[in-house]
Amino acid sequence: MIHPLRKIRQTIKTHTNVTIIIVAALLIELISLGQYLYIRQDISKDLERDAERYLTLKTLITRDVLNASEKTLQTHMLEIQHNLHEPDSMFESVRKIVQMHPNAIGSGIAFVPYYYPQKGRLFEPYARRQDGKITVRQVAGENHDYTKSDFYITMLEKKTTLWTNPYTDQIAGDTLVTTLSEPFFDGKEFIGVLCLDITLELLDDTLNTRLNYPSSYCMLLTEDGKLISQPSQEAYRKHDIPQIINLVNDKTVERRKSNTECEIISFRDNQTHKKGTIFYKEVEGKTKWKLVLVCYNEEVYHNLYVVTVIVSCLMLIALIILSFIIHRFIRNERRLNEVRYEQERIASELRIATSIQMSMLPQKNDIPEDCQDMMVAGKLLPAKAVGGDLYDYFVRDGKLFFCIGDVSGKGVPAAMVMAVTRTLFRASAARENQPARIMQAINDMVVVNNERGFFVTLFVGILDLPTGRLRYCNAGHDAPILIGGQGGQGVQVVQDLTVKANLPVGIIEHYDYEWQECTVSRGTSLFLFTDGLTEAMNNQHQMFGRERVMENLTSIIHHPSPITLLQTMTEKVQQFVDGAEQSDDLTMLAIRYMPVDEKYKVYEQLTLKNEVKEVSRLNQFVKDTTARIGLDTATSYKIRLALEEAVVNVINYAYSKTKQGEVIIEMMANDKHLRIIITDSGMHFDPTMAEKPDTTLAVEERPIGKMGILLMRELMDTINYERINGKNVLRMELFIKQPSI
């Protein structure tokens, strides 16, 4: 017989053990539940991130389809406006639009009534793609008065780009179609509507690809909730699609926003009674369409359900495994965040590097506002965030200094070499007027410590604006192209500039570069580029080539402004590559020489013999002329002193003692500036390259003549020297300050 007290103890012990087991089991279940909730939350976050990425990608694709249509109309708008005087040319224009757009099924132009009186009240040329053929005809008439159509009436009110709601085109086999309408102007006058009909079948397949879950589906809705791109027929059979559309459009339904402005709605499907999540985002642009992604919890959390059952059955073993998984998950998430942070840091640094590189390109103040003898424009399109191409230009002493180059390699190292080369060009060209010496100075500096073997193909040019004399030096770069020079019988031509083969910069130290020169005639343009233009490659691995460059330049030979050249060539090369990835930096520089024939209210000329006694005539000439111009006494005195020094130098040193010669002084002025030209046939001497005198020396110790040059430099705004046809020509300009009122 068991002692009652012992029995009581056993009962208490049994109950305690059971209690411990129950408590332990509850703790394990609580831990399992906590883990379940934790993992479910992480999966929900992953689902949101995946949905956001998916919707962002698909909105970009949708926007690209719409942008392609808008760009197609904008691209042909100028051609249509150019041919407005020929109404029949409009048929060819709409045919080209349909031909150029792969998704287009039709395009038309609805002109305002009686725009072309000979065509009657209504005129709407329309091109239609059907069975692989494009037909063009006039569709307006009694049975089709487009002035009563909604799109036309709306366009009259808003005069802006419009997209219609999708509609079914029965002619195209019940295809879903939308219409893009663009207002059309002749100057500022509204003259009609340019339309493009495109099919949206491509979006159906595009939007429902690469989904993470089999039962997930994607839809595209209009602003008022109509279907544009719909899910598969299988999704229609299994799920309540109208319910989804109503939930998205119903503003009273509870919803929340993610970090990227993606709106989220939780729901239960009325047909399958399954819970799910709706993600939707508005397509940016003028359409205000909505992209909707639907995911069902059963698939999203399926793996979690399986793991939870296993954890409940195996308890501690499953708990250990799950703990290990969670540990690995957290560690991987931390690593992913570190990698993401590092990528963001690198991207930020690359953005800064891009900004710095672009800031090194020529600025507006590099060309004086009153410099009207030429127009210049450049464009740089790096293949990566930063590139190794460069171009630069600035005006000094009546000369345009410019260069274009291509550093071997790409990315940040090439960009650093590019920055160094551009700085060296600026530093050398600021004190040097000879292109070969500029190239030599750049080369000698680049060669130093060039352990990685970078080299630069470089073209340096100096254009004298008063005369059109172009001196240049080429270091292994593509030959520039001259546009508009007069060929045989006065015909304008496109031709290569003759260049000598010098080694690229950075290969051999102290290399002896050869320079060349030519004369650029009025109206001539110079087009320079890097090999990123000629070697641009399309998806068929065909290169753009120099022949295409010449053909496209020939097509615009009568409109060769720098901006037109760059825009045309950029459009042509982009059309050629057709979306292929850019493999090399592309840089272009265009210069148009248009010297201005200025009118002067004062013009005087004096011819002196190379005799010192003639100087007295010079002083009186300068005094009388500056008085006519209206210069103050101090400025007039300085000009007389500077001219006297310059002319005396010519008289004493330009000609031999036995040779008779002349010095011609021209003074001309208008309201803006005073120009002085000194011409002689003596020995070659460039005063602009003379060293500045040491003003600390005593007067008797200073070299003769240099003080006059110093005075000219300090007094005049620009000094320009050229040796032309065996003569020394020194031009000086002084900007005349207008008196304050």
Side-chain angles (χ1 to χ4, degrees), residues 287-350:
T287 57
K288 299 191 181 300
W289 293 349
K290 299 174 184 176
L291 193 61
V292 181
L293 174 65
V294 181
C295 300
Y296 289 90
N297 295 357
E298 184 179 53
E299 289 183 339
V300 173
Y301 304 112
H302 173 72
N303 293 334
L304 178 60
Y305 297 151
V306 174
V307 172
T308 302
V309 172
I310 295 175
V311 168
S312 299
C313 297
L314 299 179
M315 294 186 177
L316 294 176
I317 297 176
L319 180 60
I320 294 173
I321 295 174
L322 187 57
S323 299
F324 176 74
I325 293 174
I326 294 174
H327 172 72
R328 292 293 299 270
F329 176 81
I330 295 174
R331 188 176 66 176
N332 291 340
E333 184 73 13
R334 186 182 301 112
R335 290 178 178 176
L336 180 61
N337 289 333
E338 291 174 355
V339 171
R340 187 180 298 128
Y341 172 78
E342 183 66 17
Q343 290 176 341
E344 291 176 355
R345 185 187 63 81
I346 294 173
S348 176
E349 292 179 354
L350 286 176

Side-chain angles (χ1 to χ4, degrees), residues 270-289:
N270 291 335
Q271 188 165 321
T272 62
H273 304 291
K274 295 180 179 179
K275 292 183 178 181
T277 308
I278 302 171
F279 303 88
Y280 71 93
K281 187 175 186 179
E282 186 174 288
V283 178
E284 295 181 358
K286 301 176 181 179
T287 57
K288 299 191 181 300
W289 293 349

Side-chain angles (χ1 to χ4, degrees), residues 397-672:
D397 292 337
K399 296 181 177 65
L400 174 66
F401 294 77
F402 62 93
C403 73
I404 188 170
D406 184 1
V407 181
S408 60
K410 302 179 185 66
V412 175
M416 296 179 66
V417 178
M418 168 266 184
V420 171
T421 306
R422 183 262 185 188
T423 303
L424 292 174
F425 168 75
R426 282 272 173 151
S428 301
R431 51 183 170 77
E432 180 60 67
N433 292 332
Q434 216 277 5
R437 288 199 289 266
I438 295 175
M439 192 74 77
Q440 180 71 54
I442 297 173
N443 177 68
D444 291 346
M445 292 301 296
V446 173
V447 168
V448 177
N449 297 325
N450 188 11
E451 297 178 356
R452 299 190 63 177
F454 283 105
F455 63 87
V456 185
T457 65
L458 187 65
F459 183 94
V460 173
I462 303 174
L463 176 62
D464 185 66
L465 299 179
T467 64
R469 180 188 181 193
L470 174 64
R471 289 173 292 174
Y472 58 92
C473 181
N474 185 57
H477 200 76
D478 288 330
I481 298 175
L482 287 171
I483 308 166
Q486 300 296 320
Q489 299 180 352
V491 178
Q492 291 184 314
V493 296
V494 175
Q495 59 185 352
D496 293 332
L497 180 68
T498 303
V499 296
K500 294 182 179 179
N502 293 305
L503 284 179
V505 167
I507 296 180
I508 299 177
E509 189 175 6
H510 304 308
Y511 180 79
D512 187 15
Y513 287 94
E514 295 185 67
W515 65 280
Q516 300 163 263
E517 70 174 298
C518 67
T519 300
V520 178
S521 59
R522 178 190 295 271
T524 298
S525 294
L526 187 65
F527 182 62
L528 306 95
F529 53 90
T530 61
D531 57 9
L533 176 62
T534 54
E535 295 179 6
M537 192 173 296
N538 60 17
N539 292 317
Q540 289 73 43
H541 302 288
Q542 298 173 329
M543 290 195 295
F544 193 68
R546 194 177 184 91
E547 291 183 1
R548 286 189 176 88
V549 175
M550 301 289 279
E551 290 174 1
N552 287 302
L553 292 176
T554 302
S555 67
I556 57 169
I557 192 171
H558 297 293
H559 306 280
S561 70
I563 294 178
T564 300
L565 288 177
L566 299 186
Q567 288 179 343
T568 299
M569 203 55 63
T570 301
E571 292 172 359
K572 295 297 182 182
V573 75
Q574 288 177 348
Q575 291 174 7
F576 175 79
V577 300
D578 192 23
E581 183 179 0
Q582 183 179 346
S583 60
D584 196 4
D585 304 328
L586 170 57
T587 303
M588 297 176 287
L589 178 64
I591 303 168
R592 180 170 172 80
Y593 180 57
M594 289 293 294
V596 178
D597 294 329
E598 296 193 47
K599 295 182 179 180
Y600 297 95
K601 64 180 182 180
V602 176
Y603 176 85
E604 297 293 340
Q605 178 176 319
L606 176 66
T607 302
L608 303 177
K609 297 180 181 179
N610 60 328
E611 299 176 2
V612 176
K613 64 182 181 180
E614 295 278 271
V615 174
S616 60
R617 294 177 57 204
L618 171 66
N619 289 334
Q620 189 60 43
F621 169 76
V622 175
K623 184 177 180 180
D624 295 342
T625 304
T626 53
R628 287 187 59 197
I629 296 171
L631 298 179
D632 59 82
T633 304
T635 304
S636 176
Y637 174 75
K638 291 179 181 178
I639 292 175
R640 292 206 311 272
L641 182 60
L643 280 178
E644 181 178 334
E645 290 279 354
V647 172
V648 169
N649 280 343
V650 174
I651 292 174
N652 289 337
Y653 305 108
Y655 300 98
S656 63
K657 293 182 179 180
T658 59
K659 184 177 179 180
Q660 292 292 326
E662 293 181 340
V663 183
I664 301 173
I665 300 96
E666 298 173 85
M667 295 183 67
M668 56 205 77
N670 54 26
D671 294 334
K672 295 182 179 179

Side-chain angles (χ1 to χ4, degrees), residues 21-39:
I21 293 173
I22 293 174
V23 171
L26 289 174
L27 289 175
I28 292 174
E29 291 299 328
L30 288 174
I31 292 173
S32 299
L33 178 61
Q35 291 175 339
Y36 169 81
L37 295 176
Y38 177 80
I39 296 174

Side-chain angles (χ1 to χ4, degrees), residues 88-370:
D88 290 338
S89 67
M90 300 298 105
F91 294 96
E92 178 62 18
S93 297
V94 295
R95 187 193 68 79
K96 286 183 179 179
I97 293 175
V98 176
Q99 187 178 25
M100 292 294 291
H101 198 296
N103 296 330
I105 63 172
S107 177
I109 308 175
F111 287 93
V112 296
Y114 297 112
Y115 183 76
Y116 292 112
Q118 66 271 34
K119 296 295 183 179
R121 176 175 173 268
L122 302 178
F123 181 56
E124 184 181 9
Y126 184 80
R128 178 80 180 191
R129 189 200 304 272
Q130 191 171 7
D131 299 329
K133 296 180 180 180
I134 299 176
T135 57
V136 183
R137 63 192 180 92
Q138 149 71 324
V139 297
E142 295 180 358
N143 296 328
H144 176 56
D145 185 352
Y146 54 80
T147 61
K148 299 179 180 179
S149 300
D150 292 339
F151 82 95
Y152 188 86
I153 296 172
T154 304
M155 188 61 68
L156 283 176
E157 296 176 356
K158 298 185 178 180
K159 293 184 176 59
T160 185
T161 302
L162 293 176
W163 285 90
T164 66
N165 282 337
Y167 58 91
T168 301
D169 191 309
Q170 297 179 349
I171 299 178
D174 293 334
T175 302
L176 198 61
V177 174
T178 184
T179 298
L180 167 63
S181 301
E182 285 279 357
F184 194 53
F185 299 89
D186 184 359
K188 294 184 178 179
E189 181 184 0
F190 174 76
I191 63 172
V193 183
L194 179 59
C195 299
L196 178 64
D197 301 331
I198 65 170
T199 176
L200 297 173
E201 287 185 342
L202 175 65
L203 292 176
D204 291 344
D205 297 331
T206 302
L207 297 181
N208 282 284
T209 57
R210 304 181 67 86
L211 293 168
N212 290 341
Y213 305 104
S215 64
S216 296
Y217 52 89
C218 188
M219 300 182 293
L220 186 61
L221 307 178
T222 63
E223 184 179 4
D224 53 0
K226 295 183 179 179
L227 269 173
I228 299 174
S229 177
Q230 54 192 5
S232 63
Q233 293 298 325
E234 182 179 358
Y236 258 104
R237 290 193 302 270
K238 289 184 177 181
H239 306 290
D240 190 350
I241 303 300
Q243 177 195 5
I244 306 300
I245 297 174
N246 291 334
L247 289 173
V248 172
N249 294 325
D250 189 353
K251 300 301 181 182
T252 62
V253 174
E254 183 180 354
R255 65 197 70 202
R256 59 188 176 88
K257 284 191 176 182
S258 66
N259 295 332
T260 59
E261 300 302 315
C262 175
E263 297 201 19
I264 304 172
I265 301 174
S266 299
F267 77 105
R268 181 185 292 274
D269 193 296
N270 291 335
Q271 188 165 321
T272 62
H273 304 291
K274 295 180 179 179
K275 292 183 178 181
T277 308
I278 302 171
F279 303 88
Y280 71 93
K281 187 175 186 179
E282 186 174 288
V283 178
E284 295 181 358
K286 301 176 181 179
T287 57
K288 299 191 181 300
W289 293 349
K290 299 174 184 176
L291 193 61
V292 181
L293 174 65
V294 181
C295 300
Y296 289 90
N297 295 357
E298 184 179 53
E299 289 183 339
V300 173
Y301 304 112
H302 173 72
N303 293 334
L304 178 60
Y305 297 151
V306 174
V307 172
T308 302
V309 172
I310 295 175
V311 168
S312 299
C313 297
L314 299 179
M315 294 186 177
L316 294 176
I317 297 176
L319 180 60
I320 294 173
I321 295 174
L322 187 57
S323 299
F324 176 74
I325 293 174
I326 294 174
H327 172 72
R328 292 293 299 270
F329 176 81
I330 295 174
R331 188 176 66 176
N332 291 340
E333 184 73 13
R334 186 182 301 112
R335 290 178 178 176
L336 180 61
N337 289 333
E338 291 174 355
V339 171
R340 187 180 298 128
Y341 172 78
E342 183 66 17
Q343 290 176 341
E344 291 176 355
R345 185 187 63 81
I346 294 173
S348 176
E349 292 179 354
L350 286 176
R351 286 193 295 270
I352 295 173
T354 302
S355 176
I356 294 174
Q357 184 179 35
M358 291 304 171
S359 68
M360 296 182 68
L361 297 178
Q363 307 298 320
K364 291 183 179 180
N365 56 8
D366 290 320
I367 303 296
E369 294 182 0
D370 60 342

Side-chain angles (χ1 to χ4, degrees), residues 373-399:
D373 295 326
M374 56 81 196
M375 296 184 292
V376 59
K379 191 169 189 178
L380 190 154
L381 300 172
K384 296 184 178 181
V386 290
D389 281 5
L390 71 139
Y391 73 87
D392 198 6
Y393 56 81
F394 65 92
V395 173
R396 175 175 67 82
D397 292 337
K399 296 181 177 65

